[in-house]
Amino acid sequence: MSSNTPLRGIFTPNIVPLDTRGEINEPELRKYVDWLIERGVHGLYPNGSTGEFTRFTVEERRRIIEIIADQTRGRVPILAGAAEANTRETIKACEHYHSLGVRAVAIVSPFYFKLTPAGVYAYFKEIADNSPIDVTLYNIPMFASPIDVPTVQRLAEECPRVAAIKDSSGDLPHMMRMIAAVKPVRPDFAFLTGWDAALMPMLLLGCDGGTNATSGVVPEITRKLYDLTMNGQLDESRELQYRLLKLFDAMLFSAEFPEGFRAALRLRGFTTGIGRQPQSLVQQKELETLSDQLQCSLAAEGFTDQPVGGCPVGDSVDSDHVARIVQTVVGELKKRGMA
Amino acid sequence: MSSNTPLRGIFTPNIVPLDTRGEINEPELRKYVDWLIERGVHGLYPNGSTGEFTRFTVEERRRIIEIIADQTRGRVPILAGAAEANTRETIKACEHYHSLGVRAVAIVSPFYFKLTPAGVYAYFKEIADNSPIDVTLYNIPMFASPIDVPTVQRLAEECPRVAAIKDSSGDLPHMMRMIAAVKPVRPDFAFLTGWDAALMPMLLLGCDGGTNATSGVVPEITRKLYDLTMNGQLDESRELQYRLLKLFDAMLFSAEFPEGFRAALRLRGFTTGIGRQPQSLVQQKELETLSDQLQCSLAAEGFTDQPVGGCPVGDSVDSDHVARIVQTVVGELKKRGMA
Amino acid sequence: MSSNTPLRGIFTPNIVPLDTRGEINEPELRKYVDWLIERGVHGLYPNGSTGEFTRFTVEERRRIIEIIADQTRGRVPILAGAAEANTRETIKACEHYHSLGVRAVAIVSPFYFKLTPAGVYAYFKEIADNSPIDVTLYNIPMFASPIDVPTVQRLAEECPRVAAIKDSSGDLPHMMRMIAAVKPVRPDFAFLTGWDAALMPMLLLGCDGGTNATSGVVPEITRKLYDLTMNGQLDESRELQYRLLKLFDAMLFSAEFPEGFRAALRLRGFTTGIGRQPQSLVQQKELETLSDQLQCSLAAEGFTDQPVGGCPVGDSVDSDHVARIVQTVVGELKKRGMA
Amino acid sequence: MSSNTPLRGIFTPNIVPLDTRGEINEPELRKYVDWLIERGVHGLYPNGSTGEFTRFTVEERRRIIEIIADQTRGRVPILAGAAEANTRETIKACEHYHSLGVRAVAIVSPFYFKLTPAGVYAYFKEIADNSPIDVTLYNIPMFASPIDVPTVQRLAEECPRVAAIKDSSGDLPHMMRMIAAVKPVRPDFAFLTGWDAALMPMLLLGCDGGTNATSGVVPEITRKLYDLTMNGQLDESRELQYRLLKLFDAMLFSAEFPEGFRAALRLRGFTTGIGRQPQSLVQQKELETLSDQLQCSLAAEGFTDQPVGGCPVGDSVDSDHVARIVQTVVGELKKRGMA
């Protein structure tokens, strides 16, 4: 993979399949990589939030990248999540992933401690000055210290290695402010959105692509939405964006993230295993209900059969139920500083 | 104005010009109404947040509507802000504004006290059941109790009088969720966005129009953005949306709202008077600096001369300065439950 | 009432009883005033948040103060809520309430619009420079623009008329920071807490008193808690503070504020009428359940009989139920910028 | 250390001294342990937030506990931070620390991902059911998923191993609600506060002690505050709480946490090294200014000499400066879901 392949299109943040002992399920992960590439995603994005990077050990995170790089064999570019405990460890990860031929790393802003813009700047500056590989800033203010526009602009100006930002805030004017601030000084800089609910308008306003969790479950739809939008087929892409929003909301808000995506991936035929975050009995019950609803949604899109009990006529998802849940969870997220 | 004129296009939330004694400047307000209509806004929206409805007495709020209805003489529809101290007083206002021939009222969700969805529902239900005129729900979560999607849906289903929502959250997926929930049951329901920063994508995803504060200062641009977007001229509308974003940010975030809009309107030739919220000396100084920057922006758009000291070459607004301020203020708003 | 009576002790923010037509129930209000004074509250605080000042018209707000001032006849000092639509109207209210002999006014920080510290300062400065009567700053960040410590300090230094702050944030270190900043320059300045849940520790750390909604329902307990704490009877006051917390939580969080307090006051024998904010059917049902629980709590304290169906043995309130609700509502409040 | 030593008193969350290569400075850490114990802290709390546990590798976290356990030699109980990437790794850490003889572990609620109460419950339940050692829940909602009152109560009831909670929210009514919910069913359960600003009132209302960062810098003061409060010497303890608040605010809010504490510890004579989070040039300058102010504060308390340039007469800290910063940072924290 040439080091100046543009970061463009849909990069899939993959779930990591686990086996019955809770270990990385390597054969299934390899199968999943092939499946994704065959369905047209433009790139892979392991060790993102969907990939639950914080729940793996440092050795496991490395192994995930090694497996995926080996299996991909250059067919698509890889954006490798590389955040470790501190800048020294992170730079080591950058070096290792560089040696594996990944296209770039993605580094989430410092989390747990909530840093000021000055601290966020200093953190990325030290990494960018020492990384042998392009760095994508990863802004996800619901989980980590926010990266504000002036910080992005300054890093883009001072650090040639900082080549892109992945922004999961879903805040469209924020994305536009970044594009307006950075593009004039760094025309090569790439802007990726991590918020599937706004993929179409983000692309229309200048984003280069997305790292979208839905593309790990319904890559056919996410890819098609990208193509339709880039082709200017507005009516078709609008209609598809509304359908994707429904799937996204159902998977994102109906269970503790990323359990909804894991459940949906199972419906696509993968052995995903049980996640590492324990689920209470109530949560397990809810997940079963969700799984049936997701199966109806996926069946309506032609990706699976209907569940044994059948699906409600008309709307495949119980929209009211999901809408209530979305409100509650969006409220929760807002409470905790997001959205 | 026929009662079933669709609520569509750009409705201007007007600043109220004051005279030297701080009273409503009726001649200037009439002149302003004509000026806006001549520049193509589709409707007027007095007693909105830009109109600082909370800072006028109940008698003044009524007089503002009376003046504007009289001066408009049916040339464009009027959406009249009608929220009063309680439902009884609000219903009285609805009746009065109905007798003046306004197209619909807009009623902000209860504020000061923050209500639950059940309380928000009960409030609008009682008003809608007793209003002789169409009601627009006004959702502005940075200032008032949020109106969530299920509440909008329920009110749309149960209350024929509830005919539209004006949403100033700027949250695109939220708008899409409302459209998806309400359009199937109420195809006539109108969706207006109050967040100029996202006007183009909001329209592209199905909004019927906007109540946009920029249209009170640069109606030519806001109207043109609407036309270009509705015509599907994406490249032109994208470029204009970026320019409008810059103006919007400068006016919105550089001073206590709506002082930036008042200062800009002065540059368009109106005697706006001094606002009712006192400004500290520091704030007054900042407003002068802002005014020069706004003059450069408006001059770059061809609406005014440059200020005496001239304007910086290249970018008309000091973008870095504005960007820093935007970050700070957006942070403040987020802290208080918005954005 | 001498103008230099210290603002000290428990000031009751009263509910306004309404009659069957929804109008102010003057006889009941007068009876309520006597009842409160007889039970030992140190002062009255009409037109506060508990008094739902925003839901009354300007004429009604004035009449409430007139009735209370007349009925009180100088037996206790009155702190009159005086915030109106703008500084001019507010200053007129200050003048009127001064003529009625109230001890001081309380003015809530600007709401709806969220002001910066500079704007909050300018607002209070203009009022304080023109008020003929002592001004109490009213900080309630869950509902209105926050008043930060440097702003309180500056107003205390520059404005002799600014004589006190009523803080309803419940944030103990915040209160300590204010006391540390203001007491050295204004030893006469009074600090009142509006958060009953922390009354005892607030008093222990230097507060002069409280404006506590519980004192409008169980004045015997709130007053006793004040006395025990000021006497240094720590064990007794701690035990009472825990009991008051339970009552406070039940009344505050189990219904849309201040419906829980209205329901409890009804149990003390007053005709409170139906509040002006409409309640949905679900809310009305919940209020009935709450009322039974409150009756058990009040019965346990000896203030009422048990409800017809009896009370659970042991804990009089269904603590788990209340705890869940408290969590939910505290979450909601936090989401909206409070607590 | 007997396994049923009550968790009571002041547990110091220690900074980890680093050497010039950024590695753990073992001799200095051992010296620091002795210094703390000699100054009377009741216990040690390594791998807390002050100890920046997230910025060390898993091997380093283990080594820190090993060094401290070895150096302490049972003189005081150790509360060892034991959160790792997932429950399996965390349980392994519990087993290892148990073998080292620590009194209990403290496990922070899941962070990065923000979990619902059901998820938080399931997480702690799995750990508690498999830990050979007492578990302290660690609630720090500004950084991690909040642990709400019903969850604490349920874990206390179901898991004998869950023996305490350390709460760093500083929310006094929240602490009281926990005590009221848990004490009746688990009289042995310990409540520790991590918010130095409210240590005295927390103790007065029933807390058993604190894990207070100030005790790592001025153990003499924090310990004395504990003793005075437990002895009921209210006037003395109130005065000391105000002094400690000033120190706490200066160290906490004037620099990116925990840099202020690191700077202050240097002034007490320890070689702390440079923290692992890079600091921008502006931040480094600010830290120098802060250091001078802290030196004046510590000199005023008799712990150091004044800095070369002397100190301002009267107040040793530039209070206004600190107050402004506190406001800004508290605002930031609130924005992100804390305080």
Side-chain angles (χ1 to χ4, degrees), chain A residues 62 230 297 299:
Chain A
R62 295 197 162 211
M230 299 312 276
S297 301

Side-chain angles (χ1 to χ4, degrees), chain A residues 85-86 113 115, chain D residues 52-57 60 257-258 276-277:
Chain A
N86 53 55
F113 296 106
L115 300 192
Chain D
E52 297 172 282
F53 71 101
T54 61
R55 290 170 177 160
F56 290 90
T57 64
E60 288 175 324
F257 181 79
R276 289 188 167 188
Q277 160 61 29

Side-chain angles (χ1 to χ4, degrees), chain D residues 127-191:
Chain D
I127 293 169
D129 285 352
N130 293 281
S131 169
I133 187 173
D134 278 355
V135 171
T136 301
L137 312 175
Y138 178 6
N139 185 38
I140 183 164
M142 75 177 119
F143 291 159
S145 307
I147 315 176
D148 65 12
V149 176
T151 300
V152 176
Q153 185 178 356
R154 188 173 171 198
L155 288 166
E157 283 171 355
E158 297 180 7
C159 310
R161 268 287 169 236
V162 174
I165 184 157
K166 179 215 158 163
D167 186 282
S168 293
S169 70
D171 182 341
L172 200 67
H174 176 73
M175 183 65 87
M176 292 170 68
R177 288 176 194 125
M178 287 198 295
I179 293 175
V182 173
K183 274 277 170 191
V185 288
R186 280 285 300 274
D188 61 307
F189 204 89
F191 299 85

Side-chain angles (χ1 to χ4, degrees), chain A residues 177 204-205 238 242 249 339, chain B residues 177 204-205 238 242 249 339:
Chain A
R177 286 176 194 124
L204 286 177
L205 282 158
R238 181 189 305 113
Y242 272 93
D249 281 358
Chain B
R177 287 176 194 124
L204 286 176
L205 282 158
R238 181 189 304 110
Y242 272 92
D249 281 358

Side-chain angles (χ1 to χ4, degrees), chain C residues 29-43:
Chain C
L29 180 52
R30 288 183 179 273
K31 195 178 104 186
Y32 186 28
V33 166
D34 287 346
W35 185 84
L36 288 169
I37 295 174
E38 285 158 16
R39 267 146 199 81
V41 304
H42 299 94

Side-chain angles (χ1 to χ4, degrees), chain A residues 10 40-41 92 105 118 131 140 203 206 223 225 275 324:
Chain A
I10 304 300
V41 304
K92 273 192 225 164
V105 292
S131 169
I140 183 163
L203 293 171
R223 171 65 198 263
L225 177 57
R324 284 274 161 210

